[in-house]
Amino acid sequence: MGLYKDANINTNQFSDLAWIFYITYLVFEMPTGYLMQRLPTARYLGINVILWGFCVTMNCVCKNFASLVAVRALLGVFESAIAPALILVTSMWYKKKEQPPRVGLWYLGTGTGTIIGALVSFGFQHYTSRSFYSWQIMFLVIGLITMVIGLVVFLFLPNNPMSSRLSHDEKIYAIERLRSNQTGIENKHFKPKQMVECLRDPQTWLLSLITIASNVPNGAVSSYQATIIKGFGYNSKQTALLSIPGGAVSIVSILLATNFAAHYSQRAYSIVVLLLPGILGAALMAFLPDGHKVGKLIGNYLTNCIGASLPLLYSWVAANSNATFSIQKVAGHTKKVTMNAILLMSFCTGNIIGPLTFRKADAPNYIPAKIAIIATSAVAILFTLLLRGVYVLENRRRDGSSRGGGEGSESIGEEVGGDGVRAGDGKASSLVVAAVSAPHPDPSPKPGTDTGTETYPEANPIVSPDGREKQETSREREGESADSGFMDLTDRENGAFRNPLTGRYKTDEKSESPRKAKVAWLGERTSIL
């Protein structure tokens, strides 16, 4: 669209613009993860979308490389909140097996954006002006639309199930159905032990290596698809239209892979199936003779399958952020946020490396960059199969521990037969969370007594509006909303579960103080085991 000429930049500077975006994206991933834990998730997401849209509009006033660098850097800052916020929102509402297709649905925006962007580019290339160029008006229009969408997100997307417009009973069901996830709903308390456990967990770094390796080609293809197609001998308008099938390939591959993963609980095999066409496509682009334009174009389209592996990695993290391969069994919201941040930092690293493989000296064919796509995709396949093997061995170990009555019988997942970590007995946790289960009379020890294995917190019985007794917790005595009991009910560190045999509250002596235990009485017992 004339950006190179109008802004007076060359191929190497365009490559710099691509990776500068991901540098700030990477740097701000940890801070934005912390802010998402401290601030309302949906509101934070909406503000970042609005600011991102504003920065897009600012592209229209950029006339040189320096101004484009400044805008790209700011775009990376605000972009860093989008994917992790959407991952958190998805995990707040959906069970593990439901997450891959839902993540896939919102990740369809990448393929849809490619198609819309190509059509918009084609349309605006027919606009000519000496003072306001076609690429400038395109950025202005798209930025304003994005700001409107951000405002809608800010106003209407709920921060969590308890702040939604659902009825009280619907909120109970929405939270109760997620108990088997054991990854937490939301918790505003940052827990350093969970962050350290995440950093010590081998699966964290295997997922990181897979993400880096698979996003080197993704960064190259997403940033340079138009350049690659134009290198086959097409003009700018033809290149814009020929980019559309690439977006369609991305959409189809995302839908097929995420639904296959959801139906069969096999994310690893789905990722491998997506990477193989990418290797084939890069080989076609690199090694076909120059006269085979159609074959090279098909190869370019096949490389769009690689990017479809990212939503599977997102859902893999959301499903297994509670799993741990160390002695300490730690799960919860802080670990989930930390794993999301590391995954997105790895995503940035891959996308920083990808554009750097396209050098001005290799134009117009960029053969070394295409060979790099083949090599990094192969590495991603190896690490994916390795991680799946680790999960399979861990599940077998826990199966054996369960039969022997050892620690492995504790539930940390539910993807039975899949590539996620599950309980040793293949079932969801048998613990009933206090926040969704009202106490009932039983002959168990009285409050305040120590049985040697369990300590029951002191609680004052009061009468509910329907005449039933309930336990008043420290939070309720201070006037806090009972709805807060839902916020992190599956976090094993919240220190407040109900014993399924006695019906009494159990406070782990190693857990946080009862002041931080999120326990709430909700009337009817709605346990779904």
Side-chain angles (χ1 to χ4, degrees):
M1 296 184 70
L3 176 63
Y4 283 82
K5 180 181 177 182
D6 299 333
N8 194 28
I9 62 174
N10 56 40
T11 302
N12 288 340
Q13 289 176 319
F14 184 80
S15 179
D16 292 339
L17 291 174
W19 65 259
I20 284 169
F21 169 84
Y22 290 106
I23 286 287
T24 53
Y25 193 138
L26 186 153
V27 169
F28 277 84
E29 199 54 57
M30 278 295 185
T32 204
Y34 176 78
L35 289 172
M36 274 194 298
Q37 181 147 19
R38 304 295 297 176
L39 302 173
T41 304
R43 302 293 174 268
Y44 184 69
L45 172 62
I47 289 172
N48 277 275
V49 173
I50 292 171
L51 293 174
W52 192 90
F54 176 76
C55 288
V56 171
T57 64
M58 289 297 99
N59 277 285
C60 71
V61 299
C62 295
K63 299 293 180 65
N64 53 50
F65 178 68
S67 57
L68 287 170
V69 167
V71 172
R72 288 288 292 177
L74 288 173
L75 283 171
V77 171
F78 301 125
E79 176 87 8
S80 65
I82 308 303
L86 291 174
I87 295 170
L88 282 180
V89 170
T90 303
S91 64
M92 286 180 190
W93 288 92
Y94 298 105
K95 298 172 74 172
K96 290 180 183 179
K97 289 189 176 181
E98 298 169 347
Q99 288 172 11
R102 270 70 180 187
V103 172
L105 283 175
W106 56 257
Y107 197 75
L108 289 178
T110 56
T112 306
T114 299
I115 294 173
I116 295 175
L119 292 171
V120 170
S121 173
F122 178 76
F124 280 118
Q125 284 186 58
H126 292 82
Y127 166 86
T128 56
S129 172
R130 293 183 178 180
S131 58
F132 203 59
Y133 303 118
S134 59
W135 59 270
Q136 290 176 310
I137 192 171
M138 182 185 73
F139 280 125
L140 178 63
V141 171
I142 292 176
L144 291 174
I145 293 173
T146 303
M147 292 175 70
V148 172
I149 293 173
L151 183 62
V152 172
V153 170
F154 183 88
L155 294 176
F156 298 106
L157 182 67
N159 293 304
N160 54 63
M162 292 314 299
S163 65
S164 68
R165 293 178 174 81
L166 296 176
S167 69
H168 184 69
D169 290 340
E170 289 171 338
K171 291 176 182 178
I172 294 174
Y173 179 73
I175 298 299
E176 170 67 10
R177 67 191 294 272
L178 300 184
R179 172 147 38 88
S180 60
N181 284 3
Q182 294 190 346
T183 55
I185 301 298
E186 188 178 49
N187 191 326
K188 298 304 179 186
H189 297 285
F190 183 80
K191 300 177 181 178
K193 187 166 78 170
Q194 289 186 15
M195 185 186 73
V196 171
E197 177 61 29
C198 180
L199 297 176
R200 293 173 57 190
D201 197 336
Q203 69 164 329
T204 300
W205 303 111
L206 281 172
L207 283 164
S208 175
L209 290 171
I210 295 168
T211 306
I212 292 171
S214 62
N215 277 280
V216 171
N218 181 64
V221 172
S222 61
S223 299
Y224 276 90
Q225 178 162 265
T227 302
I228 292 171
I229 294 175
K230 196 169 184 178
F232 297 154
Y234 300 100
N235 61 38
S236 296
K237 292 184 176 66
Q238 290 172 330
T239 296
L241 293 178
L242 289 172
S243 298
I244 294 174
V249 169
S250 177
I251 290 174
V252 172
S253 56
I254 289 171
L255 289 174
L256 291 177
T258 54
N259 281 281
F260 176 85
H263 187 72
Y264 295 103
S265 294
Q266 297 291 348
R267 292 175 177 85
Y269 290 149
S270 298
I271 291 172
V272 170
V273 168
L274 290 170
L275 292 171
L276 288 174
I279 293 175
L280 175 60
L284 290 173
M285 289 193 296
F287 305 123
L288 274 180
D290 291 339
H292 293 72
K293 292 170 58 175
V294 175
K296 287 177 174 286
L297 194 60
I298 292 172
N300 177 72
Y301 295 150
L302 288 175
T303 58
N304 284 273
C305 294
I306 298 174
S309 63
L310 192 59
L312 294 175
L313 289 167
Y314 287 156
S315 65
W316 217 354
V317 167
N320 285 330
S321 59
N322 67 305
T324 181
F325 303 133
S326 62
I327 296 175
Q328 295 174 297
K329 293 181 174 60
V330 181
H333 195 71
T334 300
K335 182 173 183 180
K336 185 162 55 176
V337 168
T338 305
M339 288 192 74
N340 286 345
I342 291 173
L343 180 76
L344 269 299
M345 291 171 72
S346 303
F347 163 79
C348 293
T349 303
N351 279 278
I352 290 169
I353 298 170
L356 293 177
T357 62
F358 283 80
R359 300 175 301 174
K360 185 178 181 180
D362 300 324
N365 293 323
Y366 301 103
I367 299 299
K370 295 166 185 176
I371 293 174
I373 292 175
I374 298 172
T376 53
S377 297
V379 170
I381 289 174
L382 291 176
F383 281 123
T384 300
L385 295 176
L386 176 61
L387 180 59
R388 188 185 189 281
V390 170
Y391 282 148
V392 169
L393 291 175
E394 181 67 13
N395 283 336
R396 288 177 181 173
R397 183 187 68 80
R398 296 186 184 197
D399 287 341
S401 298
S402 176
R403 288 190 290 271
E407 286 186 0
S409 60
E410 184 175 355
S411 172
I412 349 182
E414 66 168 359
E415 289 194 271
V416 181
D419 43 37
V421 179
R422 67 178 189 276
D425 57 3
K427 298 179 180 178
S429 171
S430 60
L431 292 174
V432 180
V433 183
V436 292
S437 192
H440 52 75
D442 63 78
S444 56
K446 296 180 179 180
T449 63
D450 188 351
T451 64
T453 57
E454 299 176 347
T455 302
Y456 299 96
E458 198 71 47
N460 299 327
I462 61 176
V463 180
S464 68
D466 61 357
R468 295 173 182 266
E469 275 194 356
K470 71 165 185 163
Q471 303 289 342
E472 182 185 0
T473 66
S474 58
R475 276 186 182 270
E476 289 169 329
R477 285 195 291 270
E478 294 178 16
E480 295 190 28
S481 169
D483 284 350
S484 65
F486 282 120
M487 303 305 281
D488 199 21
L489 59 85
T490 56
D491 185 340
R492 252 172 287 189
E493 286 196 286
N494 75 12
F497 294 101
R498 193 179 75 80
N499 188 306
L501 300 178
T502 65
R504 299 294 244 174
Y505 293 122
K506 173 183 175 181
T507 299
D508 189 339
E509 293 179 356
K510 298 180 181 179
S511 69
E512 298 177 0
S513 66
R515 169 70 182 82
K516 294 183 180 179
K518 294 174 174 57
V519 187
W521 179 80
L522 296 173
E524 297 294 330
R525 184 174 185 273
T526 57
S527 175
I528 303 174
L529 295 179

PDB file of all heavy atoms in Angstrom, residues 145-161:
ATOM      1  N   ILE A 145     -12.810   1.608  14.904  1.00  0.00           N
ATOM      2  CA  ILE A 145     -13.694   0.453  15.120  1.00  0.00           C
ATOM      3  C   ILE A 145     -13.243  -0.348  16.336  1.00  0.00           C
ATOM      4  O   ILE A 145     -14.064  -0.782  17.163  1.00  0.00           O
ATOM      5  CB  ILE A 145     -13.723  -0.440  13.860  1.00  0.00           C
ATOM      6  CG1 ILE A 145     -14.399   0.302  12.701  1.00  0.00           C
ATOM      7  CG2 ILE A 145     -14.444  -1.756  14.141  1.00  0.00           C
ATOM      8  CD1 ILE A 145     -14.311  -0.429  11.377  1.00  0.00           C
ATOM      9  N   THR A 146     -11.934  -0.516  16.484  1.00  0.00           N
ATOM     10  CA  THR A 146     -11.395  -1.253  17.634  1.00  0.00           C
ATOM     11  C   THR A 146     -11.725  -0.558  18.945  1.00  0.00           C
ATOM     12  O   THR A 146     -12.053  -1.211  19.941  1.00  0.00           O
ATOM     13  CB  THR A 146      -9.871  -1.405  17.495  1.00  0.00           C
ATOM     14  OG1 THR A 146      -9.565  -2.058  16.264  1.00  0.00           O
ATOM     15  CG2 THR A 146      -9.302  -2.228  18.652  1.00  0.00           C
ATOM     16  N   MET A 147     -11.656   0.750  18.967  1.00  0.00           N
ATOM     17  CA  MET A 147     -11.985   1.502  20.186  1.00  0.00           C
ATOM     18  C   MET A 147     -13.444   1.301  20.590  1.00  0.00           C
ATOM     19  O   MET A 147     -13.761   1.177  21.780  1.00  0.00           O
ATOM     20  CB  MET A 147     -11.682   2.982  19.987  1.00  0.00           C
ATOM     21  CG  MET A 147     -10.193   3.286  19.855  1.00  0.00           C
ATOM     22  SD  MET A 147      -9.843   5.019  19.490  1.00  0.00           S
ATOM     23  CE  MET A 147     -10.302   5.775  21.046  1.00  0.00           C
ATOM     24  N   VAL A 148     -14.329   1.260  19.620  1.00  0.00           N
ATOM     25  CA  VAL A 148     -15.749   1.012  19.911  1.00  0.00           C
ATOM     26  C   VAL A 148     -15.932  -0.391  20.493  1.00  0.00           C
ATOM     27  O   VAL A 148     -16.661  -0.582  21.480  1.00  0.00           O
ATOM     28  CB  VAL A 148     -16.597   1.185  18.636  1.00  0.00           C
ATOM     29  CG1 VAL A 148     -18.037   0.738  18.889  1.00  0.00           C
ATOM     30  CG2 VAL A 148     -16.569   2.633  18.171  1.00  0.00           C
ATOM     31  N   ILE A 149     -15.243  -1.371  19.928  1.00  0.00           N
ATOM     32  CA  ILE A 149     -15.328  -2.740  20.445  1.00  0.00           C
ATOM     33  C   ILE A 149     -14.795  -2.802  21.872  1.00  0.00           C
ATOM     34  O   ILE A 149     -15.372  -3.472  22.742  1.00  0.00           O
ATOM     35  CB  ILE A 149     -14.545  -3.700  19.533  1.00  0.00           C
ATOM     36  CG1 ILE A 149     -15.232  -3.795  18.164  1.00  0.00           C
ATOM     37  CG2 ILE A 149     -14.433  -5.089  20.169  1.00  0.00           C
ATOM     38  CD1 ILE A 149     -14.449  -4.572  17.134  1.00  0.00           C
ATOM     39  N   GLY A 150     -13.699  -2.089  22.142  1.00  0.00           N
ATOM     40  CA  GLY A 150     -13.149  -2.051  23.500  1.00  0.00           C
ATOM     41  C   GLY A 150     -14.136  -1.470  24.495  1.00  0.00           C
ATOM     42  O   GLY A 150     -14.245  -1.944  25.639  1.00  0.00           O
ATOM     43  N   LEU A 151     -14.872  -0.449  24.097  1.00  0.00           N
ATOM     44  CA  LEU A 151     -15.886   0.152  24.970  1.00  0.00           C
ATOM     45  C   LEU A 151     -16.996  -0.846  25.271  1.00  0.00           C
ATOM     46  O   LEU A 151     -17.479  -0.939  26.416  1.00  0.00           O
ATOM     47  CB  LEU A 151     -16.448   1.412  24.310  1.00  0.00           C
ATOM     48  CG  LEU A 151     -17.477   2.198  25.121  1.00  0.00           C
ATOM     49  CD1 LEU A 151     -16.864   2.703  26.414  1.00  0.00           C
ATOM     50  CD2 LEU A 151     -18.035   3.365  24.299  1.00  0.00           C
ATOM     51  N   VAL A 152     -17.403  -1.615  24.270  1.00  0.00           N
ATOM     52  CA  VAL A 152     -18.434  -2.646  24.479  1.00  0.00           C
ATOM     53  C   VAL A 152     -17.940  -3.693  25.469  1.00  0.00           C
ATOM     54  O   VAL A 152     -18.677  -4.120  26.372  1.00  0.00           O
ATOM     55  CB  VAL A 152     -18.814  -3.302  23.130  1.00  0.00           C
ATOM     56  CG1 VAL A 152     -19.723  -4.507  23.358  1.00  0.00           C
ATOM     57  CG2 VAL A 152     -19.490  -2.288  22.217  1.00  0.00           C
ATOM     58  N   VAL A 153     -16.685  -4.127  25.316  1.00  0.00           N
ATOM     59  CA  VAL A 153     -16.098  -5.097  26.253  1.00  0.00           C
ATOM     60  C   VAL A 153     -16.099  -4.534  27.668  1.00  0.00           C
ATOM     61  O   VAL A 153     -16.480  -5.220  28.627  1.00  0.00           O
ATOM     62  CB  VAL A 153     -14.663  -5.469  25.815  1.00  0.00           C
ATOM     63  CG1 VAL A 153     -13.959  -6.284  26.907  1.00  0.00           C
ATOM     64  CG2 VAL A 153     -14.677  -6.253  24.514  1.00  0.00           C
ATOM     65  N   PHE A 154     -15.671  -3.300  27.821  1.00  0.00           N
ATOM     66  CA  PHE A 154     -15.602  -2.663  29.140  1.00  0.00           C
ATOM     67  C   PHE A 154     -16.971  -2.603  29.813  1.00  0.00           C
ATOM     68  O   PHE A 154     -17.102  -2.835  31.017  1.00  0.00           O
ATOM     69  CB  PHE A 154     -15.024  -1.261  28.996  1.00  0.00           C
ATOM     70  CG  PHE A 154     -14.849  -0.526  30.299  1.00  0.00           C
ATOM     71  CD1 PHE A 154     -13.678  -0.663  31.028  1.00  0.00           C
ATOM     72  CD2 PHE A 154     -15.851   0.289  30.789  1.00  0.00           C
ATOM     73  CE1 PHE A 154     -13.514   0.004  32.239  1.00  0.00           C
ATOM     74  CE2 PHE A 154     -15.695   0.965  32.000  1.00  0.00           C
ATOM     75  CZ  PHE A 154     -14.523   0.815  32.727  1.00  0.00           C
ATOM     76  N   LEU A 155     -18.007  -2.302  29.048  1.00  0.00           N
ATOM     77  CA  LEU A 155     -19.336  -2.092  29.616  1.00  0.00           C
ATOM     78  C   LEU A 155     -20.116  -3.381  29.855  1.00  0.00           C
ATOM     79  O   LEU A 155     -20.901  -3.461  30.815  1.00  0.00           O
ATOM     80  CB  LEU A 155     -20.144  -1.168  28.703  1.00  0.00           C
ATOM     81  CG  LEU A 155     -19.653   0.274  28.570  1.00  0.00           C
ATOM     82  CD1 LEU A 155     -20.495   1.022  27.561  1.00  0.00           C
ATOM     83  CD2 LEU A 155     -19.665   0.983  29.926  1.00  0.00           C
ATOM     84  N   PHE A 156     -19.906  -4.398  29.036  1.00  0.00           N
ATOM     85  CA  PHE A 156     -20.820  -5.537  29.065  1.00  0.00           C
ATOM     86  C   PHE A 156     -20.186  -6.883  29.428  1.00  0.00           C
ATOM     87  O   PHE A 156     -20.910  -7.802  29.816  1.00  0.00           O
ATOM     88  CB  PHE A 156     -21.528  -5.677  27.713  1.00  0.00           C
ATOM     89  CG  PHE A 156     -22.381  -4.495  27.359  1.00  0.00           C
ATOM     90  CD1 PHE A 156     -21.978  -3.586  26.393  1.00  0.00           C
ATOM     91  CD2 PHE A 156     -23.585  -4.278  28.010  1.00  0.00           C
ATOM     92  CE1 PHE A 156     -22.754  -2.491  26.067  1.00  0.00           C
ATOM     93  CE2 PHE A 156     -24.375  -3.176  27.705  1.00  0.00           C
ATOM     94  CZ  PHE A 156     -23.966  -2.280  26.733  1.00  0.00           C
ATOM     95  N   LEU A 157     -18.883  -7.053  29.314  1.00  0.00           N
ATOM     96  CA  LEU A 157     -18.276  -8.346  29.657  1.00  0.00           C
ATOM     97  C   LEU A 157     -18.127  -8.451  31.171  1.00  0.00           C
ATOM     98  O   LEU A 157     -17.485  -7.598  31.796  1.00  0.00           O
ATOM     99  CB  LEU A 157     -16.910  -8.485  28.984  1.00  0.00           C
ATOM    100  CG  LEU A 157     -16.189  -9.825  29.224  1.00  0.00           C
ATOM    101  CD1 LEU A 157     -16.946 -10.972  28.565  1.00  0.00           C
ATOM    102  CD2 LEU A 157     -14.754  -9.760  28.688  1.00  0.00           C
ATOM    103  N   PRO A 158     -18.695  -9.482  31.819  1.00  0.00           N
ATOM    104  CA  PRO A 158     -18.557  -9.620  33.272  1.00  0.00           C
ATOM    105  C   PRO A 158     -17.138 -10.001  33.673  1.00  0.00           C
ATOM    106  O   PRO A 158     -16.442 -10.703  32.943  1.00  0.00           O
ATOM    107  CB  PRO A 158     -19.555 -10.733  33.624  1.00  0.00           C
ATOM    108  CG  PRO A 158     -19.722 -11.505  32.363  1.00  0.00           C
ATOM    109  CD  PRO A 158     -19.553 -10.534  31.242  1.00  0.00           C
ATOM    110  N   ASN A 159     -16.709  -9.549  34.836  1.00  0.00           N
ATOM    111  CA  ASN A 159     -15.361  -9.850  35.322  1.00  0.00           C
ATOM    112  C   ASN A 159     -15.200 -11.301  35.735  1.00  0.00           C
ATOM    113  O   ASN A 159     -14.107 -11.859  35.657  1.00  0.00           O
ATOM    114  CB  ASN A 159     -15.026  -8.943  36.506  1.00  0.00           C
ATOM    115  CG  ASN A 159     -14.914  -7.494  36.097  1.00  0.00           C
ATOM    116  OD1 ASN A 159     -14.139  -7.151  35.220  1.00  0.00           O
ATOM    117  ND2 ASN A 159     -15.715  -6.635  36.719  1.00  0.00           N
ATOM    118  N   ASN A 160     -16.274 -11.917  36.201  1.00  0.00           N
ATOM    119  CA  ASN A 160     -16.278 -13.318  36.612  1.00  0.00           C
ATOM    120  C   ASN A 160     -17.736 -13.749  36.721  1.00  0.00           C
ATOM    121  O   ASN A 160     -18.645 -12.918  36.629  1.00  0.00           O
ATOM    122  CB  ASN A 160     -15.535 -13.494  37.946  1.00  0.00           C
ATOM    123  CG  ASN A 160     -16.073 -12.580  39.025  1.00  0.00           C
ATOM    124  OD1 ASN A 160     -17.225 -12.685  39.429  1.00  0.00           O
ATOM    125  ND2 ASN A 160     -15.250 -11.651  39.492  1.00  0.00           N
ATOM    126  N   PRO A 161     -18.005 -15.035  36.914  1.00  0.00           N
ATOM    127  CA  PRO A 161     -19.403 -15.482  36.982  1.00  0.00           C
ATOM    128  C   PRO A 161     -20.226 -14.779  38.052  1.00  0.00           C
ATOM    129  O   PRO A 161     -21.415 -14.549  37.865  1.00  0.00           O
ATOM    130  CB  PRO A 161     -19.271 -16.984  37.279  1.00  0.00           C
ATOM    131  CG  PRO A 161     -17.966 -17.365  36.664  1.00  0.00           C
ATOM    132  CD  PRO A 161     -17.072 -16.182  36.884  1.00  0.00           C
TER     133      PRO A 161
END
